[in-house]
Amino acid sequence: MEAELKEMLNDLDSIKQSLPDPSNLASSILKLQSRVEHLTKLAKSAPVRRTKVQDMSAEVVDSNPYSRLMALQRMGIVDNYERIRELSVAIVGIGGVGSVAAEMLTRCGIGRLLLYDYDTVELANMNRLFFRPEQVGMTKTDAASQTLSDINPDVVLESFTMNITTVQGFETFMSSLRNKSFRPNKEGSGVDLVLSCVDNYEARMAVNQACNEMNQTWMESGVSEDAVSGHIQLLIPGETACFACAPPLVVASGVDERTLKREGSLCSIFTYYHGSCCRAFSAKYAEVTATFWTCVSLSGLQFP
Amino acid sequence: MEAELKEMLNDLDSIKQSLPDPSNLASSILKLQSRVEHLTKLAKSAPVRRTKVQDMSAEVVDSNPYSRLMALQRMGIVDNYERIRELSVAIVGIGGVGSVAAEMLTRCGIGRLLLYDYDTVELANMNRLFFRPEQVGMTKTDAASQTLSDINPDVVLESFTMNITTVQGFETFMSSLRNKSFRPNKEGSGVDLVLSCVDNYEARMAVNQACNEMNQTWMESGVSEDAVSGHIQLLIPGETACFACAPPLVVASGVDERTLKREGSLCSIFTYYHGSCCRAFSAKYAEVTATFWTCVSLSGLQFP
C-alpha cells in the first residue's frame, strides 16, 4: 500500500508540473497531495514485521528473539541449539493439534515446516488455539503460513492445500517429502520428522504408507471424541510395528469409523485439551532426555 | 482509511468535471482514479472483527463459534455449558503460563477475565506461545486484551497493569477481586477462581494472602528453570494447607530465590513446555471428572 501511495504522489507531482500557470486546478491538486500524505502516515502506523535474523545470538537482551532458547545451551542442556535451523518437519493436518505443534516449532526457530491440509478456517474452529476469527474463509495452510511467518520470519514455510488421500494428493505429498533443496546433503528423505495430526484413519494410513516407503520416522497423534484424552505413537520403520500392523480396535473390528462420529463433535472438541497433544510430541522425547534437542537426535534423527 | 479514499474519489471527480474538453490531464486523472479504487479494495480486505453473540447456540454450523463446545452438552458430558458465561477468573501473571490459560478460557467462552501483570512484551518473549512480534513495547495486559477481544468479543476483559506485591498494587488487587458488578448475587468474592501464573515467591505469597483473606479458591503453578517440568497446586482456604504453610524447599531453607536464577533463563524458557501448565489447570479437574464444567463445580465453586 505504501508503494502505491508513493506512486500517487509522483503522479500528482507531474500533473502539477503540467498545469498552465496560473490554474484553477492547483489548489485541488494540493488538497489531493495532502490527502495522500495523510494516508501514507496511516499506512506507516500499521504493525511492523519482525525482521529476519541471520544468526541465532545467545545475547541476553530483550530484543533477541532467541535469547531464552539459546540459554539452554549456556545451561548445558543442549549442545548446539542453532542446529534446529537445519531441521525440516512435515505436519499433516493443521487442526487443533497440528496448528499448535506448528506454532511451537516456529517459535523454537525450526528451519523449515511443510504444512498439509485441504480444509478452510471456520468460526466453529475458534474453540481451539491458533486460528483467529478474521481468518475465516482462508485455507488452513494459508492462514497458518500468515500467522507463523509473522511470528518468526526465519522459518521456511511450505504450504500444501490438498488431500493426501487422493491419488494425486499422495503423489504430491511423496514428492514434497523427497525434495532436498533445503538441505541437499541430507540422507534419506528431505524432512527430519513427519507429525500426523489428522482426524481419520484413511489419512493416517496414507502417512504410514509414505513413511514406510521412505524409511521416515514419524509420530501419530489422536484426540478422543470428548477431547479429554488422546494418544501419541512414535513410528520408526524397521524398528517399531508399523501403523497398519497395530490398528485401533475400532478399525481392526471392521467398523466404519464414520459411523462412530457424533454430529458436531468431530474429535478434538475442547479448547483446553489442545496443548496436550503437541506437548506430548515433545514429552515423548523429553521424558527420556529432558531436552528437545537430545531427544530429536535420540528418536533416530542423526545430524552430520 | 476507507472514508478518506472515498473523499479522494469525489475530489478527482470534481477535477474531471472542471477540466476543459479535451484536456491532456484527463488520462492522468483516470489513472489516479483507478489507483484510488485499487487502494479501496486493499483497505476493504482488512480483517473484519467477529461480532458479539447474544446466546450460546448449539446449532452445528460452521459459522457458530460455540458449536463444538455446546456439543459437550449434547453428548451428556456437561449439564449446562452456557453457565461458563457467568464465571469470572482472575489470572495473575500474563507470561508463558498465564497468557495461554487466558487464551484457552477466552476460546471456551468464559464470562469474565481479570488480567494482572506489570511487564511489557519483548522480542525475547517470542519463545513462548501467545504474544506476537508486533506487540513488542505494549504492556502484557494491553497486548493480551487486544488479542483476546479479537478472538472472542463476548468475554468481558479487565486489565490491571501493576505489581500486586506493592502496597498500593495489593490494595487494588484485593478490591478488584471483591468487585461484584459482573454478578451481584454471587456469594464470597467477585471471582470464581484465581490462577497464579507468576514467576516468584513474593507474588505467590501476595496471592496466597489475598485468597486467604477472601476465602477464595485458587491454583498455583510453576515451571522449572529448564522448563521441562512444573507444578500445579490447588488451594482451598480452610480445606488444604495454605501456600505459606507448605513453602518450596528453597524458600523453607532461607535461600534468596533471586540468587538461584541464571542469567537469561527466567524460568519457563522452552516453548514446547508452555501448554502443559495451562493444560494441567484443567487436567487437575479433568482427571477426576472428565469435564471442565463438572470439575469446576467439584473444586469448590458452587453455582446457584
Side-chain angles (χ1 to χ4, degrees):
Chain A
M1 185 168 265
E2 282 179 67
E4 287 265 349
L5 289 165
K6 206 172 170 192
E7 285 185 46
M8 278 185 69
L9 279 180
N10 292 342
D11 289 348
L12 287 169
D13 220 45
S14 25
I15 293 177
K16 216 165 59 178
Q17 306 287 334
S18 67
L19 287 179
D21 191 28
S23 158
N24 53 356
L25 284 179
S27 69
S28 303
I29 299 295
L30 274 177
K31 194 174 149 201
L32 276 174
Q33 274 183 318
S34 73
R35 279 199 197 281
V36 176
E37 274 156 15
H38 179 65
L39 283 172
T40 308
K41 265 187 213 148
L42 281 180
K44 273 193 181 145
S45 67
V48 180
R49 284 173 59 94
R50 204 206 96 184
T51 50
K52 289 194 184 193
V53 170
Q54 186 69 33
D55 298 302
M56 277 188 174
S57 153
E59 201 188 354
V60 184
V61 287
D62 287 342
S63 57
N64 176 9
Y66 297 114
S67 151
R68 304 286 201 279
L69 296 161
M70 291 292 277
L72 291 167
Q73 199 168 305
R74 197 170 47 250
M75 291 162 71
I77 297 169
V78 174
D79 279 342
N80 181 359
Y81 189 83
E82 237 180 310
R83 275 194 175 164
I84 198 171
R85 298 188 114 176
E86 292 170 20
L87 294 185
S88 296
V89 176
I91 304 183
V92 187
I94 312 301
V97 177
S99 64
V100 180
E103 180 171 348
M104 285 176 170
L105 288 167
T106 295
R107 289 181 182 264
C108 277
I110 191 83
R112 172 172 164 252
L113 282 183
L114 294 83
L115 310 173
Y116 305 83
D117 205 296
Y118 64 89
D119 211 2
T120 53
V121 181
E122 303 292 352
L123 264 190
N125 302 137
M126 294 307 134
N127 62 319
R128 307 185 202 126
L129 292 174
F130 193 72
F131 291 117
R132 302 188 306 265
E134 67 265 27
Q135 295 177 319
V136 165
M138 293 176 76
T139 66
K140 286 186 174 169
T141 50
D142 282 351
S145 297
Q146 180 192 60
T147 300
L148 298 174
S149 66
D150 279 351
I151 290 172
N152 189 347
D154 298 333
V155 178
V156 176
L157 295 163
E158 293 176 25
S159 282
F160 299 89
T161 307
M162 55 168 220
N163 183 344
I164 64 157
T165 66
T166 64
V167 174
Q168 208 201 323
F170 187 75
E171 272 173 25
T172 312
F173 180 48
M174 288 287 285
S175 64
S176 62
L177 293 179
R178 284 203 176 104
N179 175 9
K180 289 196 198 182
S181 56
F182 182 74
R183 210 166 104 222
N185 301 329
K186 188 184 171 303
E187 278 180 35
S189 80
V191 303
D192 297 277
L193 189 63
V194 174
L195 301 181
S196 164
C197 307
V198 299
D199 64 355
N200 65 86
Y201 186 65
E202 203 181 350
R204 286 181 176 96
M205 286 298 285
V207 175
N208 184 59
Q209 189 186 331
C211 290
N212 278 346
E213 284 187 28
M214 269 180 281
N215 200 27
Q216 175 61 56
T217 296
W218 65 289
M219 295 184 87
E220 147 59 11
S221 69
V223 181
S224 69
E225 196 189 35
D226 63 4
V228 287
S229 64
H231 75 267
I232 302 283
Q233 192 178 348
L234 172 67
L235 296 116
I236 307 173
E239 284 188 40
T240 66
C242 102
F243 184 73
C245 305
L249 179 62
V250 48
V251 174
S253 344
V255 181
D256 180 351
E257 63 169 337
R258 279 166 292 191
T259 64
L260 298 173
K261 278 194 183 171
R262 286 188 252 185
E263 190 195 33
S265 66
L266 303 173
C267 298
S268 52
I269 294 172
F270 221 11
T271 282
Y272 64 72
Y273 183 75
H274 310 151
S276 60
C277 257
C278 337
R279 162 70 182 142
F281 275 136
S282 35
K284 189 94 189 178
Y285 292 133
E287 274 152 19
V288 190
T289 66
T291 77
F292 172 69
W293 192 251
T294 321
C295 70
V296 171
S297 327
L298 277 181
S299 77
L301 312 173
Q302 300 303 329
F303 308 105
Chain B
M1 186 169 263
E2 282 178 66
E4 287 265 350
L5 289 165
K6 204 173 172 192
E7 285 186 45
M8 278 185 70
L9 279 180
N10 292 343
D11 289 351
L12 286 169
D13 219 42
S14 28
I15 292 178
K16 216 163 59 175
Q17 307 287 337
S18 68
L19 286 180
D21 191 30
S23 159
N24 54 357
L25 283 181
S27 69
S28 304
I29 299 295
L30 275 176
K31 193 172 151 201
L32 277 174
Q33 273 181 319
S34 72
R35 278 198 196 282
V36 175
E37 275 156 14
H38 178 66
L39 284 172
T40 309
K41 266 189 211 146
L42 282 180
K44 274 195 181 144
S45 67
V48 180
R49 282 174 60 94
R50 203 205 97 183
T51 51
K52 288 193 186 193
V53 171
Q54 188 67 32
D55 298 301
M56 278 188 173
S57 153
E59 201 189 354
V60 184
V61 287
D62 287 343
S63 57
N64 176 8
Y66 297 114
S67 150
R68 303 287 201 279
L69 298 161
M70 291 291 277
L72 291 167
Q73 200 168 303
R74 199 170 44 248
M75 291 162 70
I77 297 168
V78 174
D79 280 341
N80 180 359
Y81 189 82
E82 239 181 308
R83 275 194 174 165
I84 197 171
R85 298 188 115 175
E86 294 170 18
L87 295 183
S88 295
V89 176
I91 304 183
V92 187
I94 312 299
V97 177
S99 63
V100 180
E103 180 172 348
M104 287 177 169
L105 288 167
T106 296
R107 289 180 182 266
C108 278
I110 192 84
R112 171 173 164 251
L113 282 183
L114 294 83
L115 309 173
Y116 304 84
D117 204 297
Y118 64 89
D119 210 2
T120 52
V121 180
E122 303 292 352
L123 263 190
N125 302 137
M126 295 306 134
N127 61 319
R128 306 186 204 126
L129 291 174
F130 193 73
F131 290 118
R132 302 187 305 264
E134 66 264 29
Q135 295 177 317
V136 164
M138 293 175 77
T139 66
K140 286 186 176 171
T141 50
D142 283 350
S145 296
Q146 180 191 61
T147 299
L148 299 175
S149 65
D150 279 350
I151 290 173
N152 190 348
D154 299 332
V155 179
V156 175
L157 295 163
E158 293 177 24
S159 283
F160 300 90
T161 306
M162 55 168 220
N163 184 345
I164 64 158
T165 66
T166 64
V167 174
Q168 208 202 322
F170 186 75
E171 272 173 25
T172 311
F173 181 47
M174 288 287 283
S175 63
S176 62
L177 293 180
R178 283 204 176 103
N179 175 9
K180 289 196 202 183
S181 56
F182 182 74
R183 207 166 106 224
N185 302 328
K186 188 184 169 302
E187 278 180 32
S189 81
V191 302
D192 298 276
L193 189 63
V194 174
L195 301 181
S196 164
C197 308
V198 300
D199 65 353
N200 65 86
Y201 186 65
E202 203 180 351
R204 288 181 175 95
M205 287 298 283
V207 174
N208 183 58
Q209 190 185 329
C211 291
N212 279 346
E213 284 187 28
M214 269 180 281
N215 200 29
Q216 174 61 57
T217 296
W218 63 290
M219 296 185 86
E220 147 59 12
S221 68
V223 181
S224 69
E225 194 188 39
D226 63 6
V228 286
S229 64
H231 74 269
I232 303 284
Q233 192 177 348
L234 172 67
L235 297 116
I236 307 173
E239 284 189 40
T240 67
C242 103
F243 184 74
C245 303
L249 179 62
V250 47
V251 174
S253 344
V255 180
D256 180 349
E257 63 170 335
R258 280 166 292 193
T259 63
L260 297 175
K261 279 194 183 170
R262 288 188 248 186
E263 188 193 34
S265 67
L266 304 173
C267 299
S268 52
I269 294 173
F270 221 11
T271 281
Y272 65 72
Y273 183 73
H274 310 152
S276 60
C277 259
C278 335
R279 160 71 182 141
F281 276 137
S282 34
K284 190 95 189 177
Y285 292 135
E287 276 153 18
V288 190
T289 64
T291 79
F292 172 68
W293 191 251
T294 322
C295 71
V296 171
S297 328
L298 277 181
S299 78
L301 311 173
Q302 299 302 329
F303 307 106

